Structure formats: C-alpha cells, structure tokens
Amino acid sequence: MSATPRTPVPQNLQDPVPMTLPRLAEKKRLSEPIVMVTAYDYPSAQVAQEAGVDIVLVGDSGAMTVLGYPSTVPVSTDEMLVLASAVRRGLETPLLVGDLPFGSYEASDEQAVATAQRFVKEAGCDAVKLERGGTSAERARAIVQSGIPVMGHVGLTPQTATALGGYRAQGRTSERSPRMRSRSRKRAASRSCSRRFRPPSRPR
Amino acid sequence: MEGLEIPVIGIGAGPATDGQVLVFHDLLGIYDGHAPRFAKRFAEVKAQMVAGVAEYAAEVRSGAFPAPEHTYSIDDEELERFRANLD
C-alpha cells in the first residue's frame, strides 16, 4: 500500500554561488536573515544543499542525533571528522562549519589550532565552531590567526551544561545578561566570524 | 543584530539575531529525544521512515514483495541450456 501521500518534490533551491564570509557580512548589512542547519552525513548534506541554506554546521549534536550518545560530551574528534567528511562530499555551496568537540581545544592554543586544522585538512570544513567565552576567546583568536575562520557559541553551551545546571536558557536575568554580552564582545574582539546565541526569546 | 559587527546566529534566542539555526533531526522530526520549545517541527520524517520500513517488512512476510517487476528473468531457452549443462 502507498498510504503515505507523496509530498511534491520541491524545486531545487540551491544557491549556485558558494557562501563566503564576505557574503555573510553582506547579508547582515542588508538585514537578510541567514539560514543555518546542521547535517551529519552525505544525504543530510544533499538535503541542505538542495533546500538552499546558507551555512551547514556539522554539530557535536550529532553525538546525540546520529551516534546515540546521551550528551555531546563523549564524541571524539575522529568521530566528528567522519561525519564532517561525509557532509563535505554531499555539499557544494553552503559554508561548512565543523564543531570542535569537548576536550579537543580547551587545553592550549596549540591544541585548538591543531584540531581546527584537522577539520579543514581532513574533512574540508570552511570554518570551525567552539563553545563558551573565557579561555575559548583566546583559542578562537589563535585559530583565526592560523587562518581558519571561527564561529563562537555563547549562552547555553551543552559541552558544559553540568556547570550551567543543565540544559536551561541562559542570560535571563539582569545579572547574567551582561556576562553573556561581555563574552559576545570578547568573541567579536577575537574576530570570530559569527556565533550562536541562546538567550530566551523576548516576548513580543 | 546591532552592537556586534559579526553575524549572530540564534537558536531559541528570538527573531533579533542575524540568522537562525536548527538541528536537522529536530526540524524534520527524526530525533525523538527531548525537544526544546524552539525546535519547531517542519516535517514528521521519522514517522514516514518507520511506516516505510514496516510496510517493507510486512510485504516480505506476506510474499507481496518482491513482485515480478522487481525480479530479473532468463529466457526459457537459455534456462533449458543452463539446466542441460548442470548434468
């Protein structure tokens, strides 16, 4: 039986021009919303490609969504590189960002640069993402200086969710919000290319 | 988003950011773990996948699959020659 109705195949919406950092900056300048989605393998990358998104993130969320770990903490760099390489093979024009997993960048600038280079050399990523402020801002600066664009991530940072008291929206108080603002500014000062931001929705 | 030169991508942060990100499996309804409020489901892909595999399993068990159109065949004459060669 074919009980499930076939949804019409959408037209191919892919952007024929590769996404670059200057193009993202232009989108921001023109207030054109930037569309980002995660992908973890060849078919999901092809879906993102054909749907015409701007940025594809090989998130460490893949630890949970495709590898079945209970959190993002256990996933290794080698595992992330398998996922990122598969995504690269299915992706043409969106910017490809690889997520540095827990334990792969915190120890030193050298460790951070070496891991970021693996994502670029072995998996073909265009940029890398890492979590938090503090020393992460220094790591981000070191990676950027090595020639690899960095996406920061402040707010709810799952790699350190235990320290935050679980998966809870961050920056909801007048005391915490300035800390996040300060972290964001530190990230901007380290010339990161963008960041994810996860405070609560403002009621409209 | 004013105040920062770099693009800011939000998740659960409201519409003021320069862009949005969602997890593939959340937005397509593939992952059935805890879904936060911001993870809007734009499709129910897991339900379709389960239905598809269940239908396949049912057709194998009932004999409905594979049907003649899913099968490769051989000319009767060729089959006869093959059988003769077996002796």
Side-chain angles (χ1 to χ4, degrees), chain A residues 1-2 4 24-25 28 32-40 44 47-48 55 61 64-66 151 184-185 187-188 192-202 204, chain B residues 1-28 30-31 34 36-38 47-48 51-52 55 59:
Chain A
M1 67 161 203
S2 287
T4 319
L24 285 178
K28 178 182 170 92
E32 277 180 29
I34 297 165
V35 181
M36 176 162 136
V37 70
T38 66
Y40 311 102
S44 56
V47 169
I55 306 176
S61 48
M64 300 168 76
T65 57
V66 302
M151 172 177 286
S184 298
R185 288 185 177 280
R187 276 306 177 77
S192 304
C193 63
S194 70
R195 87 269 333 292
R196 296 164 82 201
F197 195 55
R198 206 172 188 172
S201 295
R202 215 174 314 158
R204 302 220 287 170
Chain B
M1 190 168 203
E2 291 172 28
L4 284 173
E5 278 182 31
I6 59 176
V8 177
I9 312 295
I11 179 164
T17 52
D18 301 307
Q20 298 291 328
V21 59
L22 281 179
V23 166
F24 189 87
H25 291 57
D26 286 343
L27 82 91
L28 290 180
I30 304 173
Y31 183 68
H34 169 72
R37 192 199 313 180
F38 56 75
Q48 286 205 25
E55 189 180 334
E59 289 198 6

Side-chain angles (χ1 to χ4, degrees), chain A residues 67-141:
Chain A
L67 299 179
Y69 289 118
S71 80
T72 61
V73 170
V75 71
S76 70
T77 298
D78 285 343
E79 287 171 316
M80 287 300 301
L81 289 171
V82 170
L83 304 183
S85 302
V87 170
R88 175 76 284 167
R89 291 189 279 271
L91 205 64
E92 294 165 40
T93 48
L95 194 82
L96 177 57
V97 182
D99 211 358
L100 305 190
F102 180 74
S104 72
Y105 61 89
E106 300 92 329
S108 66
D109 287 353
E110 290 73 21
Q111 184 201 28
V113 171
T115 304
Q117 286 172 337
R118 289 193 69 193
F119 275 80
V120 173
K121 287 181 72 125
E122 298 176 33
C125 288
D126 300 309
V128 298
K129 179 172 96 54
L130 44 77
E131 287 192 6
R132 300 192 305 286
T135 53
S136 283
E138 297 164 27
R139 306 290 173 257
R141 186 177 291 112

